[in-house]
Amino acid sequence: MGTAVNPFAEKLLLSVKFKKLFPYALYAILPIVLLRVCFYSSTPLSQPPAVQFHENPSILIASSISSSPSHNEDGEYGVAQCDYANGKWVPDDLGPLYNGTSCSTIKDGQNCMSHGRPDIGYLYWRWEPRKCKLGRFDPEAFLTFLRNKHLAFVGDSMARNQLESLLCMLSSFSPPTLFYSNGNDNKFRRWNFPSHNVSVSIYWSPFLVKGVEKQEGQNHNQLYLDVVDERWASDLGLIDVVVFSIGHWYLHPAVYFEGDSILGCHHCPALNLTEIGFYGVFRKAFRTALKTTIQRKVANGNAIGVIVTTFSPHHFEGEWDKAGACPKTAPFDESEKPLGAMDEEMRKAGVEEVEAAKLSAEQLGHWGKVRVAALNVTKLAMLRPDGHPGPYMNPFPFESGAQHRVQNDCVHWCLPGAIDTWNEIMLEIMKGWQAQSRGGG
Ligand SMILES: *[C@@H]1O[C@H](CO)[C@@H](O)[C@H](O)[C@H]1NC(C)=O
Ligand SMILES: *[C@@H]1O[C@H](CO)[C@@H](O)[C@H](O)[C@H]1NC(C)=O
Ligand SMILES: *[C@@H]1O[C@H](CO)[C@@H](O)[C@H](O)[C@H]1NC(C)=O
Ligand SMILES: *[C@@H]1O[C@H](CO)[C@@H](O)[C@H](O)[C@H]1NC(C)=O
């Protein structure tokens, strides 16, 4: 916030041209505007050193499906794997494990309670998977599972949103100490929970791959799709479980590089480059991040757990700076609303790259050391239009009466809120890994 430039004019003009070119443009433009206003860093980010990787072409080539034990839904380990992605939101009296005052690490713009959001119904819903039960988050079990380990969140502001949800839920059991903080706007931080010596950290890396975020006056980002962002990757040796969560930054105009060549761009009319959209490059970014993570950990003989949180849709219904931009106060019914085409593509990129990485880890005999899972939350997120800060991204927006212009955040999630469920599912994923290891997988 606090940026002097009003970006609307430029962005909305851009959207007019944009609309003619791509069907997803209209859908994409609102979060761009929001991100542009709220989350841009005015400080140039240092470019990480270019690192050459020794290519191992076999590592991510998923050939025909192998009959692999760990892929069985009801595997030979007797671990019935629940499909947490399918289900519905049901009313729940229990409510969240924390609130806006009991947890001190909630980012201001997501602390809806302390910003005066009047309705509280959005706090009383529980996700019910179709064929199994999702337990209430158990902070002690989570900390026990990660005893003496380091869990890192890597990605954009949605990664941070999920991290802060987790910190609050864990804090309800045992308080953490912040022991590392670096970067503008707390972009790199690490906490420790002394009760179990668990470290939890956040790494800002909105593309996962090496990228140059556009700065004031520039039109586009530059992404290097075959090279990971060393701001997180150079710490892999210290990380036991990593959560990747990216998406919205891929909607921005960008030029894409791979090796020595330019692949093309997304919305760069002035540059005479081929428009290639962002679905394919988004997928490549996951592939590079997963491949590099697995290669480096395996090369050092270490185990790693990797979780990819899938794309979380926004719920703008109207102009982002008008009252009522995301006015819903209850979840959608499952049949009420299908997933948008862009959300679907973004989700697929994440889940399918996870499947490919899993398969290659098995084929190369790394299974057991390498665990990979998709936190496939796109649909359950889409069903929660009521979960965003909306105007309560700012404190008491209607204090002086109804406002004609009011900024809305219909992208991130109020804390406490719907995103707490992502971490409940994450705990179940980790329990599944543990059960598989016990079973010999
Ligand atoms: C993710 O979950 C949804 C249900 O929420 C399911 O329909 C879909 O097949 C899953 N996987 C992929 C690749 O999208
Ligand atoms: C928040 O939680 C704390 C600790 O559980 C409790 O004492 C306090 O009353 C709660 N505040 C609100 C506004 O619910
Ligand atoms: C605490 O956890 C870290 C890993 O995050 C580990 O390197 C260290 O040895 C642990 N300390 C103790 C006392 O076990
Ligand atoms: C744009 O690129 C094409 C193909 O590389 C080239 O033939 C053309 O001359 C370029 N146009 C301009 C205006 O540079």
Side-chain angles (χ1 to χ4, degrees), residues 186-234:
N186 293 323
K187 287 194 163 118
F188 301 86
R189 284 179 290 169
R190 198 193 293 187
W191 291 262
N192 187 265
F193 290 82
S195 65
H196 294 73
N197 183 32
V198 170
S199 292
V200 178
S201 64
I202 179 84
Y203 292 82
W204 175 257
S205 181
F207 309 115
L208 296 186
V209 292
K210 179 178 148 184
V212 182
E213 293 166 33
K214 74 170 180 169
Q215 291 146 31
E216 216 58 67
Q218 278 181 320
N219 293 325
H220 50 77
N221 301 313
Q222 284 177 36
L223 305 195
Y224 299 84
L225 294 163
D226 54 340
V227 182
V228 283
D229 180 356
E230 288 298 331
R231 289 178 298 175
W232 61 269
S234 62

Side-chain angles (χ1 to χ4, degrees), residues 6 8-9 12 30 33 318-325 391 393-394 396-408:
N6 177 345
F8 305 152
L12 292 176
L30 284 163
V33 170
E319 287 177 52
W320 91 287
D321 59 344
K322 284 227 179 103
M393 65 183 285
N394 291 311
F396 301 98
F398 306 111
E399 212 168 23
S400 51
Q403 302 292 313
H404 182 55
R405 292 276 166 203
V406 55
Q407 299 177 333
N408 284 275

Side-chain angles (χ1 to χ4, degrees), residues 53-189:
F53 292 106
H54 300 290
E55 284 300 305
N56 175 353
S58 66
I59 195 147
L60 272 181
I61 297 174
S63 57
S64 57
I65 303 292
S66 66
S67 58
S68 141
S70 49
H71 265 205
N72 292 350
E73 285 292 287
D74 249 301
E76 61 187 40
Y77 313 124
V79 184
Q81 302 246 322
C82 172
D83 174 13
Y84 293 102
N86 275 298
K88 58 175 192 266
W89 290 98
V90 297
D92 178 40
D93 289 340
L94 276 176
L97 281 173
Y98 63 97
N99 62 42
T101 43
S102 71
C103 181
S104 60
T105 44
I106 302 174
K107 186 185 163 88
D108 216 28
Q110 284 137 27
N111 197 332
C112 302
M113 287 179 164
S114 73
H115 282 181
R117 178 170 173 172
D119 62 311
I120 53 164
Y122 71 98
L123 297 171
Y124 295 91
W125 296 92
R126 176 171 57 80
W127 178 249
E128 190 176 83
R130 206 167 280 162
K131 291 185 185 146
C132 49
K133 233 188 135 229
L134 178 59
R136 188 168 167 78
F137 188 79
D138 179 346
E140 191 178 6
F142 196 97
L143 290 169
T144 304
F145 180 80
L146 284 175
R147 190 185 292 281
N148 295 325
K149 292 203 163 63
H150 174 193
L151 165 70
F153 287 82
V154 177
D156 57 18
S157 55
M158 298 305 294
R160 173 174 173 169
N161 206 178
Q162 188 184 345
L163 156 96
E164 290 184 351
S165 154
L166 181 68
L167 278 180
C168 287
M169 294 202 291
L170 295 177
S171 303
S172 72
F173 175 78
S174 161
T177 42
L178 177 69
F179 76 96
Y180 177 79
S181 180
N182 192 10
N184 175 38
D185 195 26
N186 293 323
K187 287 194 163 118
F188 301 86
R189 284 179 290 169

Side-chain angles (χ1 to χ4, degrees), residues 83-87 127 344 347-348 351-352 376-380:
D83 174 13
Y84 293 102
N86 275 298
W127 178 249
E344 176 85 54
R347 172 175 76 181
K348 247 170 57 183
V351 180
E352 289 178 3
N376 181 358
V377 289
T378 304
K379 180 151 167 222
L380 59 127

Side-chain angles (χ1 to χ4, degrees), residues 35-46:
L35 287 159
R36 176 78 177 75
V37 174
C38 300
F39 307 104
Y40 255 45
S41 152
S42 52
T43 317
L45 285 146
S46 60

